[in-house]
Coordinates of all heavy atoms in Angstrom, one line a residue:
L234 N -47.6 -7.6 -17.0 CA -48.1 -8.9 -17.3 C -47.9 -9.9 -16.2 O -48.7 -10.8 -15.9 CB -47.5 -9.4 -18.6 CG -48.2 -10.7 -19.2 CD1 -49.7 -10.6 -19.5 CD2 -47.5 -11.0 -20.6
V235 N -46.7 -9.8 -15.6 CA -46.3 -10.7 -14.4 C -47.4 -10.5 -13.4 O -47.9 -11.4 -12.8 CB -44.9 -10.4 -13.9 CG1 -44.7 -11.2 -12.7 CG2 -43.9 -10.8 -14.9
E236 N -47.7 -9.3 -13.0 CA -48.6 -8.9 -12.0 C -50.1 -9.4 -12.3 O -50.8 -9.8 -11.5 CB -48.7 -7.4 -11.7 CG -47.3 -7.0 -11.0 CD -47.1 -5.5 -10.8 OE1 -48.1 -4.7 -11.0 OE2 -46.0 -5.2 -10.4
R237 N -50.4 -9.4 -13.6 CA -51.7 -9.8 -14.0 C -51.8 -11.3 -13.8 O -52.8 -11.8 -13.4 CB -51.9 -9.5 -15.5 CG -53.4 -9.9 -16.0 CD -53.7 -9.5 -17.4 NE -53.2 -8.2 -17.7 CZ -53.0 -7.8 -19.0 NH1 -53.0 -8.7 -19.9 NH2 -52.7 -6.5 -19.2
H238 N -50.7 -12.1 -14.1 CA -50.7 -13.5 -13.9 C -50.8 -13.8 -12.4 O -51.5 -14.7 -12.0 CB -49.4 -14.1 -14.5 CG -49.4 -14.3 -15.9 ND1 -50.4 -14.9 -16.6 CD2 -48.4 -14.0 -16.8 CE1 -50.1 -14.9 -17.8 NE2 -48.8 -14.4 -18.0
V239 N -50.2 -13.0 -11.5 CA -50.2 -13.2 -10.1 C -51.7 -12.9 -9.6 O -52.3 -13.7 -8.9 CB -49.4 -12.2 -9.3 CG1 -49.6 -12.3 -7.8 CG2 -47.9 -12.7 -9.6
A240 N -52.3 -11.9 -10.1 CA -53.7 -11.5 -9.8 C -54.7 -12.6 -10.1 O -55.7 -12.8 -9.5 CB -54.1 -10.2 -10.4
T241 N -54.4 -13.4 -11.2 CA -55.3 -14.4 -11.6 C -54.8 -15.8 -11.1 O -55.2 -16.8 -11.7 CB -55.5 -14.3 -13.2 OG1 -54.2 -14.6 -13.8 CG2 -56.1 -13.1 -13.6
A242 N -53.9 -15.8 -10.2 CA -53.3 -17.0 -9.6 C -52.7 -17.9 -10.6 O -52.6 -19.2 -10.4 CB -54.5 -17.8 -8.9
Q243 N -52.1 -17.4 -11.6 CA -51.2 -18.1 -12.6 C -49.8 -18.0 -12.1 O -49.0 -17.4 -12.9 CB -51.5 -17.6 -14.0 CG -53.0 -17.8 -14.5 CD -53.1 -17.3 -15.8 OE1 -52.2 -17.3 -16.7 NE2 -54.3 -16.7 -16.1
L244 N -49.5 -18.5 -11.0 CA -48.1 -18.3 -10.4 C -47.0 -19.0 -11.2 O -45.9 -18.3 -11.3 CB -48.1 -18.8 -9.0 CG -49.3 -18.2 -8.1 CD1 -49.1 -18.7 -6.6 CD2 -49.2 -16.6 -8.2
T245 N -47.3 -20.1 -11.9 CA -46.2 -20.6 -12.6 C -45.8 -19.8 -13.8 O -44.7 -19.5 -14.1 CB -46.6 -22.0 -13.2 OG1 -46.8 -22.9 -12.0 CG2 -45.5 -22.6 -14.1
N246 N -46.8 -19.2 -14.5 CA -46.7 -18.3 -15.6 C -46.1 -17.0 -15.1 O -45.1 -16.5 -15.7 CB -48.0 -18.0 -16.3 CG -48.5 -19.1 -17.1 OD1 -47.8 -20.1 -17.4 ND2 -49.8 -19.1 -17.3
A247 N -46.4 -16.5 -13.9 CA -45.8 -15.3 -13.4 C -44.3 -15.5 -13.2 O -43.5 -14.6 -13.5 CB -46.6 -14.9 -12.1
T248 N -44.1 -16.6 -12.6 CA -42.6 -16.9 -12.2 C -41.8 -17.0 -13.5 O -40.7 -16.4 -13.6 CB -42.5 -18.1 -11.4 OG1 -43.2 -18.0 -10.2 CG2 -41.0 -18.4 -11.0
R249 N -42.3 -17.8 -14.5 CA -41.6 -17.9 -15.7 C -41.4 -16.6 -16.5 O -40.2 -16.3 -16.9 CB -42.4 -18.9 -16.6 CG -41.7 -19.3 -17.9 CD -42.4 -20.3 -18.7 NE -42.8 -21.4 -18.0 CZ -44.0 -22.0 -17.9 NH1 -45.0 -21.4 -18.5 NH2 -44.2 -23.0 -17.2
L250 N -42.4 -15.7 -16.4 CA -42.3 -14.4 -17.1 C -41.3 -13.5 -16.4 O -40.6 -12.8 -17.0 CB -43.6 -13.8 -17.3 CG -43.7 -12.6 -18.2 CD1 -43.2 -12.8 -19.6 CD2 -45.2 -12.1 -18.2
A251 N -41.4 -13.5 -15.1 CA -40.5 -12.7 -14.2 C -39.0 -13.0 -14.6 O -38.2 -12.1 -14.7 CB -40.8 -12.8 -12.8
R252 N -38.7 -14.3 -14.7 CA -37.3 -14.7 -15.0 C -37.0 -14.2 -16.5 O -35.8 -13.8 -16.7 CB -37.2 -16.3 -15.0 CG -37.2 -16.8 -13.6 CD -37.2 -18.2 -13.6 NE -37.4 -18.8 -12.3 CZ -36.5 -19.1 -11.4 NH1 -35.3 -19.0 -11.8 NH2 -36.8 -19.7 -10.3
R253 N -37.9 -14.3 -17.4 CA -37.6 -13.8 -18.7 C -37.4 -12.3 -18.7 O -36.5 -11.8 -19.5 CB -38.8 -14.2 -19.7 CG -38.5 -13.8 -21.1 CD -39.7 -14.3 -22.0 NE -39.7 -15.7 -22.0 CZ -40.7 -16.4 -22.4 NH1 -41.8 -15.8 -22.8 NH2 -40.8 -17.7 -22.2
V254 N -38.1 -11.6 -18.0 CA -37.9 -10.1 -17.9 C -36.5 -9.8 -17.4 O -35.8 -8.9 -17.9 CB -39.0 -9.5 -17.0 CG1 -38.6 -8.1 -16.6 CG2 -40.3 -9.5 -17.5
A255 N -36.1 -10.6 -16.4 CA -34.6 -10.4 -15.9 C -33.6 -10.6 -17.0 O -32.7 -9.9 -17.0 CB -34.4 -11.3 -14.7
R256 N -33.8 -11.6 -17.9 CA -32.9 -11.8 -18.9 C -33.0 -10.7 -20.0 O -32.0 -10.5 -20.7 CB -33.2 -13.2 -19.6 CG -32.8 -14.4 -18.7 CD -32.9 -15.6 -19.5 NE -34.2 -16.0 -20.1 CZ -35.1 -16.6 -19.4 NH1 -34.9 -17.0 -18.2 NH2 -36.3 -16.9 -20.0
L257 N -34.1 -10.1 -20.1 CA -34.2 -9.0 -21.2 C -33.6 -7.7 -20.8 O -33.2 -6.9 -21.6 CB -35.8 -8.8 -21.5 CG -36.4 -9.9 -22.2 CD1 -37.9 -9.6 -22.3 CD2 -35.8 -10.2 -23.6
A258 N -33.4 -7.5 -19.5 CA -32.7 -6.3 -19.0 C -31.5 -6.8 -18.2 O -31.5 -6.6 -16.9 CB -33.7 -5.5 -18.2
P259 N -30.4 -7.3 -18.8 CA -29.4 -8.0 -18.0 C -28.6 -7.1 -17.0 O -28.0 -7.7 -16.2 CB -28.5 -8.5 -19.2 CG -28.8 -7.6 -20.3 CD -30.2 -7.2 -20.2
T260 N -28.6 -5.8 -17.2 CA -27.9 -5.0 -16.2 C -28.7 -3.9 -15.5 O -28.1 -3.0 -15.0 CB -26.6 -4.3 -16.9 OG1 -27.1 -3.5 -18.1 CG2 -25.6 -5.4 -17.4
D261 N -30.0 -4.0 -15.7 CA -30.9 -3.0 -15.1 C -31.3 -3.4 -13.7 O -32.1 -4.3 -13.5 CB -32.1 -2.7 -16.0 CG -33.0 -1.6 -15.5 OD1 -33.0 -1.3 -14.3 OD2 -33.6 -1.0 -16.4
E262 N -30.7 -2.8 -12.7 CA -31.0 -3.2 -11.3 C -32.4 -2.8 -10.8 O -33.0 -3.6 -10.0 CB -29.9 -2.5 -10.3 CG -28.6 -3.2 -10.4 CD -27.8 -2.9 -9.2 OE1 -28.1 -3.1 -8.1 OE2 -26.6 -2.3 -9.5
R263 N -32.9 -1.8 -11.4 CA -34.3 -1.5 -11.0 C -35.3 -2.6 -11.4 O -36.1 -3.1 -10.7 CB -34.7 -0.2 -11.7 CG -35.9 0.6 -11.2 CD -36.0 1.9 -11.8 NE -35.6 1.9 -13.3 CZ -36.5 2.0 -14.2 NH1 -37.8 2.2 -13.9 NH2 -36.1 2.0 -15.5
V264 N -35.1 -3.1 -12.7 CA -35.9 -4.2 -13.2 C -35.5 -5.5 -12.3 O -36.5 -6.2 -11.9 CB -35.6 -4.4 -14.6 CG1 -36.1 -5.7 -15.1 CG2 -36.1 -3.3 -15.5
L265 N -34.3 -5.7 -12.1 CA -33.9 -6.9 -11.3 C -34.6 -6.8 -9.9 O -35.1 -7.9 -9.5 CB -32.4 -6.8 -11.1 CG -31.9 -8.0 -10.2 CD1 -31.9 -9.3 -10.8 CD2 -30.5 -7.7 -9.6
R266 N -34.6 -5.7 -9.2 CA -35.2 -5.7 -7.9 C -36.7 -5.9 -8.0 O -37.2 -6.7 -7.1 CB -35.0 -4.3 -7.3 CG -33.6 -4.1 -6.7 CD -33.5 -2.9 -5.9 NE -33.7 -1.7 -6.6 CZ -32.7 -1.0 -7.3 NH1 -31.4 -1.4 -7.3 NH2 -33.0 0.1 -7.9
R267 N -37.4 -5.5 -9.1 CA -38.8 -5.8 -9.2 C -39.0 -7.3 -9.4 O -39.9 -8.0 -8.8 CB -39.4 -5.1 -10.4 CG -40.1 -3.9 -10.0 CD -40.8 -3.2 -11.3 NE -42.1 -3.7 -11.5 CZ -43.2 -3.3 -11.0 NH1 -43.2 -2.3 -10.2 NH2 -44.4 -3.8 -11.3
V268 N -38.1 -7.9 -10.2 CA -38.1 -9.4 -10.4 C -37.9 -10.1 -9.2 O -38.6 -11.1 -8.8 CB -37.2 -9.8 -11.6 CG1 -37.0 -11.3 -11.7 CG2 -37.7 -9.1 -12.9
L269 N -36.9 -9.8 -8.5 CA -36.5 -10.4 -7.2 C -37.7 -10.4 -6.2 O -38.1 -11.4 -5.6 CB -35.3 -9.9 -6.6 CG -34.0 -10.0 -7.4 CD1 -32.9 -9.3 -6.7 CD2 -33.6 -11.5 -7.7
T270 N -38.3 -9.2 -6.1 CA -39.4 -9.1 -5.2 C -40.6 -9.9 -5.6 O -41.3 -10.5 -4.8 CB -39.8 -7.5 -5.1 OG1 -38.7 -6.8 -4.7 CG2 -41.0 -7.3 -4.2
M271 N -40.9 -9.9 -6.9 CA -41.9 -10.7 -7.4 C -41.8 -12.2 -7.1 O -42.7 -12.9 -6.7 CB -42.1 -10.5 -8.9 CG -43.3 -11.3 -9.5 SD -44.9 -10.8 -8.8 CE -45.0 -9.1 -9.1
L272 N -40.5 -12.7 -7.5 CA -40.2 -14.1 -7.3 C -40.4 -14.4 -5.7 O -40.9 -15.5 -5.3 CB -38.8 -14.4 -7.7 CG -38.6 -14.5 -9.2 CD1 -37.2 -14.6 -9.5 CD2 -39.5 -15.6 -9.9
A273 N -39.9 -13.5 -4.8 CA -40.0 -13.7 -3.4 C -41.5 -13.8 -2.9 O -41.9 -14.6 -2.2 CB -39.3 -12.7 -2.6
R274 N -42.3 -12.8 -3.5 CA -43.7 -12.9 -3.2 C -44.4 -14.1 -3.7 O -45.4 -14.6 -3.1 CB -44.4 -11.7 -3.9 CG -44.1 -10.3 -3.2 CD -44.9 -9.2 -3.8 NE -46.2 -9.5 -4.1 CZ -46.9 -8.9 -5.1 NH1 -46.3 -8.1 -6.0 NH2 -48.2 -9.1 -5.2
L275 N -43.9 -14.7 -4.8 CA -44.5 -15.9 -5.2 C -44.0 -17.2 -4.5 O -44.3 -18.3 -4.7 CB -44.1 -16.1 -6.7 CG -44.8 -15.1 -7.7 CD1 -44.1 -15.2 -9.1 CD2 -46.2 -15.4 -7.8
G276 N -43.0 -16.9 -3.5 CA -42.5 -18.0 -2.7 C -41.3 -18.7 -3.3 O -40.8 -19.7 -2.8
D277 N -40.7 -18.1 -4.4 CA -39.5 -18.7 -5.0 C -38.3 -18.0 -4.5 O -37.6 -17.3 -5.3 CB -39.7 -18.6 -6.5 CG -38.6 -19.4 -7.3 OD1 -37.7 -20.1 -6.5 OD2 -38.6 -19.4 -8.5
H278 N -38.0 -18.1 -3.3 CA -36.8 -17.4 -2.7 C -35.5 -17.9 -3.3 O -34.7 -17.1 -3.6 CB -36.9 -17.5 -1.1 CG -38.0 -16.9 -0.5 ND1 -37.9 -15.6 0.2 CD2 -39.4 -17.1 -0.5 CE1 -39.0 -15.3 0.6 NE2 -39.9 -16.1 0.2
A279 N -35.5 -19.2 -3.4 CA -34.2 -19.8 -4.0 C -34.1 -19.3 -5.4 O -32.9 -18.9 -5.8 CB -34.3 -21.3 -4.0
G280 N -35.1 -19.3 -6.2 CA -35.1 -18.8 -7.5 C -34.7 -17.3 -7.6 O -33.9 -16.9 -8.5
A281 N -35.2 -16.5 -6.7 CA -34.8 -15.1 -6.6 C -33.3 -14.9 -6.3 O -32.6 -14.2 -7.0 CB -35.6 -14.4 -5.6
V282 N -32.8 -15.8 -5.4 CA -31.3 -15.6 -5.1 C -30.5 -16.1 -6.3 O -29.5 -15.6 -6.6 CB -31.0 -16.5 -3.9 CG1 -29.6 -16.7 -3.6 CG2 -31.7 -15.9 -2.6
R283 N -31.0 -17.1 -7.1 CA -30.2 -17.6 -8.3 C -30.2 -16.5 -9.3 O -29.2 -16.2 -10.0 CB -30.9 -18.8 -8.8 CG -30.3 -20.2 -8.3 CD -30.8 -21.3 -9.1 NE -32.2 -21.4 -9.3 CZ -33.1 -21.9 -8.5 NH1 -32.6 -22.4 -7.3 NH2 -34.3 -22.0 -8.8
V284 N -31.3 -15.8 -9.5 CA -31.5 -14.8 -10.5 C -30.4 -13.6 -10.1 O -29.7 -13.1 -10.9 CB -32.8 -14.2 -10.6 CG1 -32.8 -12.9 -11.4 CG2 -33.7 -15.2 -11.3
Y285 N -30.4 -13.3 -8.8 CA -29.5 -12.3 -8.3 C -28.0 -12.7 -8.5 O -27.2 -12.0 -8.9 CB -29.7 -12.0 -6.8 CG -28.6 -11.2 -6.2 CD1 -28.5 -9.9 -6.4 CD2 -27.6 -11.8 -5.4 CE1 -27.5 -9.1 -5.9 CE2 -26.6 -11.1 -4.9 CZ -26.6 -9.7 -5.1 OH -25.5 -9.0 -4.6
A286 N -27.7 -14.0 -8.2 CA -26.3 -14.5 -8.4 C -25.9 -14.4 -9.8 O -24.7 -13.9 -10.1 CB -26.2 -15.9 -7.8
D287 N -26.8 -14.7 -10.7 CA -26.4 -14.6 -12.1 C -26.2 -13.2 -12.5 O -25.3 -12.9 -13.3 CB -27.6 -15.2 -13.0 CG -27.7 -16.8 -12.9 OD1 -26.8 -17.5 -12.4 OD2 -28.8 -17.3 -13.3
F288 N -27.0 -12.4 -12.0 CA -27.0 -10.9 -12.4 C -25.6 -10.4 -11.8 O -24.9 -9.7 -12.5 CB -28.1 -10.1 -11.7 CG -28.0 -8.7 -11.8 CD1 -28.4 -8.0 -12.9 CD2 -27.5 -7.9 -10.8 CE1 -28.3 -6.7 -13.0 CE2 -27.4 -6.6 -10.9 CZ -27.7 -5.9 -12.0
A289 N -25.3 -10.7 -10.6 CA -24.1 -10.2 -10.0 C -22.9 -10.6 -10.7 O -21.9 -9.9 -10.9 CB -24.0 -10.6 -8.5
E290 N -22.8 -12.0 -11.1 CA -21.7 -12.5 -11.9 C -21.6 -11.8 -13.2 O -20.5 -11.4 -13.6 CB -21.9 -14.0 -12.1 CG -20.8 -14.6 -12.8 CD -21.0 -16.1 -13.1 OE1 -21.6 -16.8 -12.1 OE2 -20.8 -16.6 -14.1
R291 N -22.8 -11.6 -13.9 CA -22.7 -10.9 -15.2 C -22.2 -9.5 -15.2 O -21.5 -8.9 -15.9 CB -24.1 -11.0 -15.9 CG -24.2 -10.4 -17.3 CD -25.5 -10.6 -17.9 NE -26.6 -10.4 -17.0 CZ -27.4 -11.4 -16.4 NH1 -27.1 -12.6 -16.6 NH2 -28.4 -11.1 -15.6
L292 N -22.8 -8.8 -14.1 CA -22.3 -7.3 -13.8 C -20.9 -7.2 -13.6 O -20.2 -6.3 -14.2 CB -23.1 -6.9 -12.6 CG -23.3 -5.4 -12.5 CD1 -24.1 -4.7 -13.7 CD2 -24.0 -5.1 -11.2
W293 N -20.3 -8.2 -12.8 CA -18.8 -8.1 -12.6 C -18.0 -8.5 -13.8 O -17.1 -7.7 -14.2 CB -18.5 -9.1 -11.4 CG -17.0 -9.0 -11.2 CD1 -16.1 -10.0 -11.5 CD2 -16.3 -7.9 -10.6 NE1 -14.8 -9.5 -11.1 CE2 -15.0 -8.2 -10.6 CE3 -16.7 -6.6 -10.0 CZ2 -14.0 -7.4 -10.0 CZ3 -15.7 -5.9 -9.5 CH2 -14.4 -6.2 -9.5
R294 N -18.5 -9.5 -14.5 CA -17.8 -10.0 -15.7 C -17.8 -8.9 -16.9 O -16.8 -8.6 -17.5 CB -18.4 -11.3 -16.2 CG -17.7 -11.9 -17.4 CD -18.3 -13.2 -17.8 NE -19.7 -13.1 -18.2 CZ -20.7 -13.6 -17.6 NH1 -20.6 -14.3 -16.5 NH2 -22.0 -13.4 -18.1
E295 N -19.0 -8.2 -17.1 CA -19.1 -7.3 -18.1 C -18.6 -5.9 -17.8 O -18.2 -5.1 -18.6 CB -20.5 -7.3 -18.6 CG -20.9 -8.6 -19.3 CD -22.4 -8.7 -19.7 OE1 -23.0 -7.6 -19.7 OE2 -22.8 -9.7 -20.1
L296 N -18.9 -5.5 -16.5 CA -18.6 -4.1 -16.1 C -17.7 -3.9 -15.0 O -17.4 -2.7 -14.7 CB -20.1 -3.4 -15.8 CG -21.1 -3.5 -16.9 CD1 -22.4 -2.9 -16.4 CD2 -20.7 -2.7 -18.1
E297 N -17.3 -4.9 -14.3 CA -16.4 -4.9 -13.2 C -17.0 -4.0 -12.1 O -16.3 -3.3 -11.4 CB -15.1 -4.6 -13.6 CG -14.3 -5.6 -14.4 CD -12.9 -5.4 -14.7 OE1 -12.3 -4.4 -14.1 OE2 -12.3 -6.1 -15.4
V298 N -18.3 -4.1 -11.8 CA -19.0 -3.5 -10.7 C -19.9 -4.5 -10.0 O -20.2 -5.5 -10.4 CB -19.8 -2.2 -11.2 CG1 -19.0 -1.1 -11.8 CG2 -20.9 -2.7 -12.1
R299 N -20.1 -4.1 -8.7 CA -20.9 -5.0 -7.9 C -22.3 -4.4 -7.9 O -22.5 -3.3 -8.1 CB -20.4 -5.0 -6.4 CG -19.0 -5.5 -6.4 CD -19.0 -7.1 -6.4 NE -17.6 -7.6 -6.3 CZ -17.2 -8.6 -6.8 NH1 -18.0 -9.3 -7.7 NH2 -15.9 -9.0 -6.6
P300 N -23.3 -5.2 -7.5 CA -24.7 -4.7 -7.4 C -24.7 -3.6 -6.3 O -23.9 -3.5 -5.4 CB -25.5 -5.9 -6.9 CG -24.8 -7.1 -7.5 CD -23.3 -6.7 -7.4
S301 N -25.7 -2.7 -6.4 CA -25.8 -1.6 -5.5 C -26.2 -2.1 -4.1 O -26.7 -3.2 -3.9 CB -26.9 -0.6 -6.0 OG -28.2 -1.3 -5.8
P302 N -25.9 -1.2 -3.1 CA -26.2 -1.6 -1.7 C -27.7 -1.9 -1.5 O -28.2 -2.8 -0.9 CB -25.8 -0.4 -0.8 CG -24.7 0.2 -1.7 CD -25.0 0.0 -3.1
E303 N -28.6 -1.1 -2.3 CA -30.0 -1.4 -2.2 C -30.4 -2.8 -2.7 O -31.2 -3.4 -2.1 CB -30.7 -0.3 -3.1 CG -32.2 -0.4 -3.1 CD -32.9 0.7 -4.0 OE1 -32.1 1.5 -4.5 OE2 -34.1 0.6 -4.0
T304 N -29.8 -3.2 -3.8 CA -30.0 -4.5 -4.3 C -29.6 -5.6 -3.3 O -30.2 -6.6 -3.1 CB -29.4 -4.8 -5.7 OG1 -30.0 -3.7 -6.6 CG2 -29.7 -6.1 -6.3
Q305 N -28.3 -5.4 -2.8 CA -27.8 -6.3 -1.9 C -28.6 -6.4 -0.7 O -28.8 -7.6 -0.1 CB -26.3 -6.0 -1.5 CG -25.3 -6.1 -2.7 CD -24.0 -5.6 -2.3 OE1 -23.5 -5.8 -1.2 NE2 -23.3 -5.0 -3.2
A306 N -29.2 -5.4 -0.2 CA -30.0 -5.4 1.0 C -31.3 -6.2 0.7 O -31.8 -6.9 1.6 CB -30.3 -3.9 1.5
L307 N -31.9 -6.0 -0.5 CA -33.1 -6.7 -0.9 C -32.8 -8.2 -0.9 O -33.6 -8.9 -0.4 CB -33.6 -6.2 -2.2 CG -34.7 -7.1 -2.8 CD1 -36.0 -7.0 -2.0 CD2 -35.0 -6.6 -4.2
V308 N -31.7 -8.6 -1.4 CA -31.3 -10.0 -1.4 C -31.2 -10.5 0.0 O -31.6 -11.7 0.3 CB -30.1 -10.3 -2.3 CG1 -29.7 -11.7 -2.2 CG2 -30.5 -10.0 -3.8
A309 N -30.5 -9.7 0.8 CA -30.4 -10.2 2.3 C -31.8 -10.4 2.9 O -31.9 -11.4 3.6 CB -29.6 -9.2 3.0
R310 N -32.7 -9.5 2.7 CA -34.1 -9.7 3.1 C -34.7 -10.9 2.6 O -35.4 -11.6 3.3 CB -34.9 -8.4 2.9 CG -34.5 -7.2 3.8 CD -35.5 -6.1 3.8 NE -36.2 -5.8 2.5 CZ -35.7 -4.9 1.7 NH1 -34.5 -4.3 1.9 NH2 -36.3 -4.6 0.5
I311 N -34.5 -11.2 1.3 CA -35.1 -12.4 0.7 C -34.5 -13.6 1.3 O -35.3 -14.5 1.6 CB -34.9 -12.4 -0.9 CG1 -35.7 -11.3 -1.5 CG2 -35.1 -13.7 -1.5 CD1 -35.5 -11.0 -3.0
R312 N -33.2 -13.6 1.5 CA -32.6 -14.8 2.1 C -33.1 -15.0 3.5 O -33.2 -16.2 3.9 CB -31.1 -14.7 2.1 CG -30.4 -14.8 0.8 CD -28.9 -14.7 0.9 NE -28.3 -15.1 -0.4 CZ -27.4 -14.4 -1.0 NH1 -26.8 -13.3 -0.4 NH2 -26.8 -14.9 -2.1
S313 N -33.4 -14.0 4.2 CA -33.9 -14.1 5.6 C -35.4 -14.4 5.6 O -36.0 -14.6 6.7 CB -33.6 -12.9 6.4 OG -34.4 -11.9 6.0
G314 N -36.2 -14.4 4.5 CA -37.5 -14.6 4.4 C -38.3 -13.4 4.8 O -39.5 -13.5 5.1
D315 N -37.7 -12.2 4.7 CA -38.4 -10.9 5.1 C -39.1 -10.2 4.0 O -39.5 -9.1 4.2 CB -37.3 -10.1 5.8 CG -38.0 -9.0 6.6 OD1 -39.1 -9.1 7.1 OD2 -37.4 -7.9 6.7
V316 N -39.2 -10.8 2.8 CA -39.9 -10.1 1.7 C -41.1 -10.9 1.3 O -41.0 -12.1 1.1 CB -38.9 -10.0 0.5 CG1 -39.7 -9.5 -0.7 CG2 -37.7 -9.1 0.8
M317 N -42.2 -10.3 1.3 CA -43.4 -11.0 0.9 C -44.2 -10.0 0.0 O -44.2 -8.9 -0.1 CB -44.2 -11.4 2.1 CG -43.6 -12.5 2.9 SD -43.3 -13.9 1.8 CE -44.9 -14.6 1.6

């Protein structure tokens, strides 16, 4: 549904829905990476980093683990503006 909103240029709806998806799967990194990528593609790099920070904090608080190297690398690329 997020991708459908993007395809029809409903970017606000796409961003809002992507954030909701992240909340529905609070510890699923695969889902998180899709959401982060989508937010970055929508130009919401700061939002993607915030979603990641919330995820990393929750993961540590609930499971005492850090995000995977793959997820950390994605966030580094988002921070550098290298994800589109």
Side-chain angles (χ1 to χ4, degrees):
L234 187 54
V235 173
E236 291 174 9
R237 186 179 310 157
H238 284 310
V239 170
T241 59
Q243 297 178 35
L244 303 183
T245 301
N246 290 336
T248 301
R249 187 177 304 128
L250 189 55
R252 290 172 186 266
R253 186 173 297 160
V254 169
R256 287 191 303 270
L257 292 174
T260 58
D261 187 332
E262 283 194 63
R263 196 170 40 103
V264 170
L265 174 74
R266 284 190 298 271
R267 265 186 85 90
V268 169
L269 297 178
T270 301
M271 183 60 62
L272 289 171
R274 284 181 49 211
L275 293 168
D277 189 3
H278 293 252
V282 171
R283 269 193 310 276
V284 168
Y285 169 77
D287 291 345
F288 173 84
E290 181 182 321
R291 184 175 42 259
L292 202 61
W293 180 254
R294 188 177 59 246
E295 294 177 9
L296 305 173
E297 294 188 4
V298 296
R299 301 281 183 216
S301 70
E303 183 180 356
T304 301
Q305 291 178 35
L307 173 60
V308 171
R310 288 195 319 273
I311 290 170
R312 284 182 173 136
S313 71
D315 194 29
V316 174
M317 290 305 287

